[in-house]
Amino acid sequence: MDMTNLSELVGLLTPEISVSLFLVAIVIFDLIFNKDKKILPFIALAGVAVTLFFVVSQYGEIAEPIKSGMITVDKFGLYFKVLILISTVFVIFFTLSSDEIKASADRLGEYYTLMFGMMLGMFMLVTATDLILIYLSLELLSLSSYVLAGFTKLRSRSSEAALKYILYGAVSSGLMLFGISLIYGLTGSTNLYAINDYLLSSNGNVVILALASVMIFAGIGYKISAAPFHFWTPDVYEGAPITITAYLSVASKAAGFAMLVRILYIGYVSVSDATGHWTVIEAFDWQMLLIVISIFTMTLGNFTALWQDNLKRMLAYSSIAHAGYLLLGVLVLSNQGLIAVLIYFFFYMLMNLGAFYIVMLIANKTGSENINEYDGLGYTSPFLGVALTICLISLTGLPPTAGFIGKLYIFIALVDAKMIAVAVIALLNSVVSLYYYVRVLKHMFLTKATETTPVVKASSFEKIVLLALVIPILVFGVYFEPIINFAKNSLAGFGL
Amino acid sequence: MDGFPILSLLTFLPVLGMVIILFLKKEQEKEIKYTALIVTGLQVILAAILLGNYDYSMAGINDVNSFQFVEKFRWIEVTGLSWLGTLKVDYFMGVDGISVPMVLLTAIVSFIATISSWKIPKALKGYFALFLLLDTGMMGVFVSLDFFLFYVFWELMLLPMYFLIGIWGGPRKEYAAIKFFLYTLVGSVFMLLVMIGLYFSATETLADGTQAFTFNLLALMNQANYTATGILSPYNPENWRFVAYIALFVGFAIKVPMFPFHTWLPDAHVEAPTPISVILAGVLLKMGTYGLLRISYPIFPDVTRELMWGIALFGMINIVYGAFVALAQKDFKKLIAYSSVSHMGYVLLGMASLSSAGINGAVFQMFNHGTITAMLFLIVGVLYDRTHTRGLNDFGGLAATLPRYTGFVTVAFFAAIGLPSMSGFISEALVFVGAFGVETTRTLAMISTLGILLGAAYMLWTLQRVFFGKLNEKWADITDLDTRELIMFIPLTIIIIFLGVYPSFMLDIMSTSVNSLVEIVTTSFSNITVSGL
Amino acid sequence: MLQVGLQHFLIVSSILFALGIYGIVTRKNAIMVLMGIELMLNSANINFVAFARYGNFGLHGQIYALFVIILAAAEAAIALAIVLNLYKTFAKINVDEVNNLKE
Amino acid sequence: MSDATLVFISLVILFLPLAGFTIVIHLGKKFPKLYLFEVGLQLVVLLLTIVVAVVKLATPESVIISEFHWFSLGDVPLVGNMVVDLGIKIDNITVLMMIVVNLISFLVHLFSVEYMKGDKRYTRYFAYLGIFTFSMLGIVLTHNLLMMYIFWELVGLSSYLLIGFWFEKDSAADAGKKAFLVNRVGDIGMFLGILILFTQYHTFTFDTIYAQIAAGNLPFESTAWLTAAGILIFMGAVGKSAQFPLHVWLPDAMEGPTPVSALIHAATMVAAGVYLSVRIFAMLTADAMLVIAIFGAFTSFVAATIALTQNDIKKVLAYSTVSQLGYMVMSVGIGAYAFAFFHLVTHAFFKACLFLGSGSVINSMHHEQDIRNMGGLRKKMPITYLAFLISTLAISGIPLTSGFLSKDGLLAGSIAFGSLTGHWLIPIIGFTVAAMTAFYMFRLVIITFHGKPRNQDKYDHAHESPRVMTLPLIILSALSIFIWYTPNPIAAADGWFLQDWVKTPASVVPQEVRFDFMKTDAAHETNAEEPGNEIVHSEMYTEAMHHAHYPAMFLSLALGGLGILFAFMLYQWKKIDPDKLAEKLKPLYKFSLNKWYVDELYHATVIAGTLAWSGLLSWFDGNVIDGIVNGTATVTRFFSRISNWFDTFVVDGIVNLSALISGFVGLTLRRLQTGKVQSYILFVVFSVLIIVLIFQPF
Amino acid sequence: MGLYDIIFYLFALVTVSSAVVVVSAKNIIYSAFSLLFTLFGVAGMYVLLGSDFIAIVQLMVYVGGILILLIFGVMLTNKVTNVEIKSGSIQLLPALIGVVVLAVLLIMLMTNTNWHIQPGVIPQTTTKELGKLLLTDYVLVFELLGILLLIALVGAASIARREE
């Protein structure tokens, strides 16, 4: 590899480089401004802004996917980077009003550093087309998030979350690594394109391929919290600081899905016809596996969420259920499905962040996420109540909110693929989900406020942040064309 | 009227009102109430204007050119979606003879429900804001001609309804509210699937000549628009039309509510505050049958023809079963609720006959049931306001102390019984004429006449228990209707009697459309095989 | 069979992998669990190196092993930090006893 | 006067009472004197009716029809324009009926002014009378089945309101409800019959339907359906005219004010059923007619037997009404069309008179209705007594009265029918009933007015009613004299009433389903093709009637006389002691009767066999028929309770069960989340293994 | 069975048996020291597989770094006065079943799979080649790992640091 390659690589990796530089910058600033850490969020925001600039400009320049060694830069990846950046911005905003984080203000430097570490990991994850790079990015992402999950280290539940997270994560990624090693042994490469070539030409060794695939999927499943690899999710979501929970539930899950799509659609695909339908290699029935996993995931998520009294935990299960819905978009093996995943993620990001933010604001006041704290809250804090209602309705997938559009697209993909039975199961699941989302509404509005009901006054900054999440939910609920276009364009350059 | 977006105005005026109310202070109760009143009043005026400009000779149903007050804009358009080509959703509204009565009904019942809401005890601001949102949802359903738009409005009313029952309802409000919510959501998710299935099965030619999949209901009614391989395409030998029809039917049937999906209704009605019961029974239930007529019938005429006996059977069960159960009730409101089940059965029965008289009767019955049941619920509400009980056996002899009220009750009850000279008679008679006139449904129609008898039985029994006999001294000094209440009752009474004497007023509006619908449903989509699973 | 070949290395790695998992799921002490994780990673590494050697895939396999070793170090560091912190807050490091977050 | 004017006046006649109702009901509270307005209005209506009648009857052959589109269903596929018309048809029957209705209505208005005085809902009562008159006139004037049905129901409503007028009494409210519901049963049949016709012909108009039938266009191409349609429509009459088995409501309906009983439950509304049968006569097949005849005959018999034993003055009259209505219905069934209508008219007058007379008695006796507490009243109330007696003679079929004429014709018809078809049972029942009628009516008269007062206290306070009450009695009793109908006191057929005004319409049903005697003669072939063209029966029938006339007359006279004689023997001359007779027959009763019937036995003084039979039927009426009604109600209630249970536990249960299962699944899944990370990891490992084992293609 | 084979079996024996001790010893110190042997054994395997550099790294990083870290961890989490270094085990039976099935499955697959075996040249010194690769083909990963280590440093410090 000569210098032109290297400079090409640098050119392709401007967003990642930007992230890295800001990461370092944060570390340095943290050391310089040891006493006053107020500047750090702004550096972080600046970092996001600059990165976003690079991402957007790259998005404009790239027409066809550019493959270079272990990475492939394409609009598909950039879409996820945009998603990640937006959620990062919001999480930074959340951080600004999070009492949990304020309590550890002296370690804010580490906080942002690790957040950028996560971001870098995610960026690499959505760009990588080589299993080893994928693995390492995943680890970078995970290591950062382990620490962040335990960031409020004096709180026991946070520490517990971190421990569980790291042990669980280490095993999952260990499984994945072992799977990768087997794939490497079979194909002699870790590059997805090369693997694909091999898989298309060879048809022996199906059992070991299945084992390797499932092991790799264990790593993916862990990241996207698909059942039965989801176990860490509720515990960690509940234990981690809410800002991080929000971040994990959106950004890190997005990166995980991007990884899944990359591996499945590059590594395992055998045919892609003109109508946008794909076929994967026959050796391993990915589709059936994903169908089972998806149904199991959403059912488990929804049904377990019915019983949760802790809102954070309830949202954790809900995010598991949503992973199930998102898997539907992947398993139909069509461009339509991928578009659906992209769209869904965008809306999911808005509504999930919104929900977590409100939970955080309320927890700031009450110190608890228990649903009983929400009794009558809709009357004492109508703004938050209504905003949370919108988020939850959107999570349920009712019009006229964005969540409905997301679901609609998933089901469009399913019906198009003639998977009616799966669609029916998914729809019935969404009915179940209504129950626990509405349960929150019940507590907020149907229960009368008492003197113990907290009055949560949101500051104007918080209101603006919240509006920035809620208004798009409503607007995209009735005018979703831009997002579809965005998703469609991003998919147009999907590399194969 | 060209170019004046009256339908949009009708639909979104309440949203405007809602916004105004949200900007008002919680303490400005009077302003809030009057805003709601003015908005719903304007809606009535707009509906009247619409009726005044409505051309009775145009059929609508499946022909965009004979729809009126059409508003059609491209809402969402995404091109170049791989094999999908173009994805588009239209903002497409229009009315024909089936929707005009419903629009009128919605406007009137909303207005009266607003008056009835005057004494809502708490959280007025929220109440009226949600109420108006609900109004928009209902109105939207009745004017949408695009399935997507229809669905959005359909779901839009769920949440306000949940809150309206759940916050302002009776003792078991939470149970009732969530039951309503879950039930209707189950129905609508099936509808969603069918909607998507239809989307992939038919295309519409766009202005630039290209073909695009469509949610346009009118395009979906045209057999020629279907693709060869669409999952719900009649040309596809392995199509799912039968299953889709059932799914869609269940979606609508839950709303109707049809046996055995009706159990949400008594709970919701009983727990809801009076105005909301009025809206529920007056308008919401009609959305189900309207959906069947607007969507199921013309889009799946082949399956409809296959299943007409089944629909009629359920209509019959509704009628008889609802009446039987009503007879056993001890709660006034529950009795009325079950009578709704019974009366909506007539609508189903009439529709199932696929005949002009039957469907005319069904649509007319939708309107009449809307007004009559609204009145019945108001009656219960008035009594409950004064006595705080609804037990039928807690009363007696009220006719002596409340003569004026009893007068209205008698009118409403006899209207519900289907006494001639009241609107209910014409519609029920037409339903029977229709259902009896078709061999398939004849026997069922005959059995259904039992409902006429039972209906009279429970209504008269109620009348006797509550109003006749010895006066229960506990209620010796309750007061007769006040002016506000008179204002609610008088218009409804006038409508009921006016339409009973002069049914042409309503039938002329709908007959052209209904005949066209009958034509479509009996002839189109022929020569195709309906295959099951 | 006795002639050592690729399979032999793979069998060793398989056994290590299995033992690693066994350690992870059975040991109460968090640090012992970490040891199990190291065994897992080592077994994968043996695979990489063995495949590279016998499949004649060049040095890539070795590079991967190198990466994994580095990563294992980083992971171990963080894991230990977390365990230490846990010890400070819970005064215990038996993994099975740290189960306040559940259901 | 042109037809148009006539139509206009008829419409005025129709709507004036409605206007009266509307005004009085709304303003009655403020202006209590408005009842006078209502009475005046009814007078105007009566006068206008007379004008119309006179004009119309001057040209007996003409039929005036005026109709308009009520509503239309537009251009219906496969059918074409479907229009529903409303309209009025003025022929002789119409105007005669209008006179009956309006005259009696007016007289009842008048009577009520005094009778209802002091009631707290005085003006409302008159309003109700107004709406009743309107509804009844609607039935009379209509030219189509739908309108018939509409006013049919409205009449039911007014009846409901008036029976339950004293709603504070539970019995009154109950009776109103019962009347409405029992009527509804009949109405449903009627409605179904109408549906059959409409389905085939897409019209409700009588004449159009008949034209179609005559043209060979049968409902569903089958004479069976035609028969069914006829019988079903007749079911409406069964309800309204209180025919067996739906007659149970009528005695209870006596809970209403007595003038109302006179107007509605004796003279007009209950006759509507007969009027309906008369209207549909042309389309009745032989089978349908036979069914009708049997219904009528049986009803008249059952009611007569019951009437024998009743002690409530109004109950006796009520059962007698049922019995007489049965006569009329039977008469339609046997083809004696003209006599059916004739009897309707004559019965209306004398029965109204009887009821008003009883009202007068009740009023003067301070609302005492039990005849056992009366007696000797003829001295105190001579006018009432006289009127009552004339009417009683009329109903008993004594010559020189109108009742003699109509009853005689009717019975002659039944003999003719028996001789022509072999159904001899019908004339037998007819004559039996005639005897019973004479008996129980005279029993009533004798007990009420003759002899010694049984309740001296009440007797002392009794007095003749004021003029406003006696005037109606006088007018009505005068109308029970033969002279108004025919100059010949022993044969009505020669009179203007039957000769000019009322003629049997030609049957339009296919020849093969007619009675032999109704088959069209060759000579009438052409005429028969044009419906509405009224012709007399075939020669065969006319001849049979002719032969039957004198036997019938003598037989009925003999039987009637026997009945009267018996009544006198028992009650007046006490030749036979009624109590002893009852004592004798006691064993016959014991096995089937409970105490209540024993009481009845004591007070009933009828000849042995009839006595037993009467008691049995009374029991039958009370326990079996009413029992069926009540039993049906019980079963219905039982069913409804079951349905309710089903609804609560099964249908709802399934819903709740699925919720429960959802919850349970959630609970189970939740258990997986043990909180121990190592268990999670073990789960993951197992999951991987299981997935591999399932998904790998071994 | 040549010397190579014998050495392999020796290393294999050491590796596996000490690994068994690692996961089964009651005393945590025993486990830690057994892990040392396991890691040595694995390093020996690397040597046998001709990757001397990796073997060295294994020894330096694992033995010199990770293992010491673990032992530190053991020491820091057990108060000297109250040495509770014995540790029990949980869910033995299910784990045993799972692991045995896994092991059997793996071994079966490993032996039955038709691996891509191609005799090739064994490079004598891998260090230089590895270095080259690291800075050309894998420069991206190299940099990434740099950041990863930084993150690890920051993160570990952040978590483990004593709060004032």
Side-chain angles (χ1 to χ4, degrees), chain A residues 126-432:
Chain A
V126 302
T127 316
T129 45
D130 186 289
L131 286 175
I132 277 296
L133 187 57
I134 286 176
Y135 171 72
L136 292 174
S137 318
L138 186 70
E139 282 293 296
L140 175 57
L141 166 60
S142 298
L143 285 178
S144 315
S145 33
Y146 300 149
V147 178
L148 283 172
F151 188 74
T152 52
K153 57 186 185 181
L154 295 178
R155 299 172 71 171
S156 61
R157 68 174 190 176
S158 188
S159 306
E160 182 184 339
L163 177 76
K164 285 183 177 174
Y165 197 10
I166 193 165
L167 292 183
Y168 196 97
V171 173
S172 296
S173 57
L175 282 172
M176 185 178 186
L177 183 68
F178 199 84
I180 292 174
S181 76
L182 292 179
I183 292 278
Y184 176 67
L186 279 174
T187 65
S189 172
T190 51
N191 189 294
L192 288 174
Y193 296 100
I195 291 171
N196 187 234
D197 287 342
Y198 172 83
L199 291 178
L200 288 180
S201 62
S202 157
N203 38 23
N205 300 331
V206 285
V207 184
I208 194 86
L209 181 67
L211 179 70
S213 305
V214 174
M215 283 180 150
I216 290 176
F217 185 75
I220 302 169
Y222 140 77
K223 204 77 249 175
I224 64 177
S225 37
F229 308 110
H230 69 283
F231 288 103
W232 63 279
T233 316
D235 296 1
V236 171
Y237 277 20
E238 187 184 346
I242 300 184
T243 50
I244 300 308
T245 307
Y247 203 45
L248 287 177
S249 75
V250 175
S252 142
K253 186 174 280 186
F257 265 96
M259 162 170 78
L260 170 62
V261 170
R262 288 267 193 224
I263 292 177
L264 185 59
Y265 282 66
I266 297 177
Y268 285 88
V269 79
S270 68
V271 189
S272 145
D273 66 10
T275 62
H277 290 94
W278 305 61
T279 318
V280 290
I281 54 157
E282 285 175 21
F284 183 66
D285 194 352
W286 268 108
Q287 193 169 32
M288 189 43 83
L289 172 69
L290 289 178
I291 287 174
V292 172
I293 296 272
S294 155
I295 290 174
F296 188 42
T297 304
M298 65 176 99
T299 311
L300 181 134
N302 280 325
F303 280 77
T304 319
L306 291 175
W307 292 92
Q308 302 307 323
D309 287 335
N310 184 300
L311 227 58
K312 229 164 137 190
R313 207 172 168 84
M314 188 272 274
L315 285 174
Y317 280 111
S318 120
S319 89
I320 293 175
H322 281 277
Y325 298 139
L326 282 159
L327 275 175
L328 294 173
V330 178
L331 64 81
V332 295
L333 299 175
S334 69
N335 285 354
Q336 192 61 30
L338 291 179
I339 290 181
V341 171
L342 296 188
I343 295 169
Y344 199 96
F345 243 115
F346 195 93
F347 298 141
Y348 171 72
M349 170 184 80
L350 296 172
M351 55 210 192
N352 220 30
L353 287 178
F356 274 116
Y357 188 42
I358 296 164
V359 169
M360 185 191 91
L361 289 176
I362 292 165
N364 276 349
K365 181 87 184 176
T366 63
S368 151
E369 295 105 11
N370 194 291
I371 197 161
N372 292 326
E373 303 285 340
Y374 288 72
D375 283 351
L377 204 85
Y379 299 102
T380 56
S381 324
F383 181 79
L384 292 183
V386 170
L388 185 54
T389 304
I390 293 171
C391 291
L392 293 179
I393 288 304
S394 182
L395 282 168
T396 318
L398 295 180
T401 58
F404 165 64
I405 307 300
K407 280 234 170 89
L408 177 73
Y409 269 81
I410 297 275
F411 289 116
I412 283 185
L414 275 175
V415 172
D416 175 50
K418 306 226 176 359
M419 294 185 175
I420 308 295
V422 181
V424 168
I425 293 172
L427 280 170
L428 291 178
N429 253 293
S430 75
V431 175
V432 173

Side-chain angles (χ1 to χ4, degrees), chain D residues 338-354:
Chain D
F339 288 107
F341 185 73
F342 188 29
H343 193 61
L344 190 165
V345 174
T346 57
H347 173 260
F349 291 129
F350 59 69
K351 190 47 76 57
C353 182
L354 287 171

Side-chain angles (χ1 to χ4, degrees), chain A residues 1-10 68, chain E residues 135-137 139:
Chain A
M1 188 191 258
D2 53 25
M3 289 314 282
T4 51
N5 275 347
L6 193 60
S7 64
E8 184 201 276
L9 199 59
V10 171
S68 174
Chain E
L135 286 176
T136 52
D137 283 5
V139 64

Side-chain angles (χ1 to χ4, degrees), chain C residues 5 7 11 13 18 33-34 37 40 42 49 56 58 61 64-65 86 89:
Chain C
Q7 269 89 353
I11 289 167
S13 93
V33 175
L34 291 180
I37 292 173
M40 268 179 87
N42 267 294
V49 177
N56 197 19
Y64 300 157
L86 189 80
T89 46

Side-chain angles (χ1 to χ4, degrees), chain D residues 397-408:
Chain D
I398 303 303
L400 299 183
T401 61
S402 60
F404 167 76
L405 295 170
S406 53
K407 210 173 190 178
D408 174 50

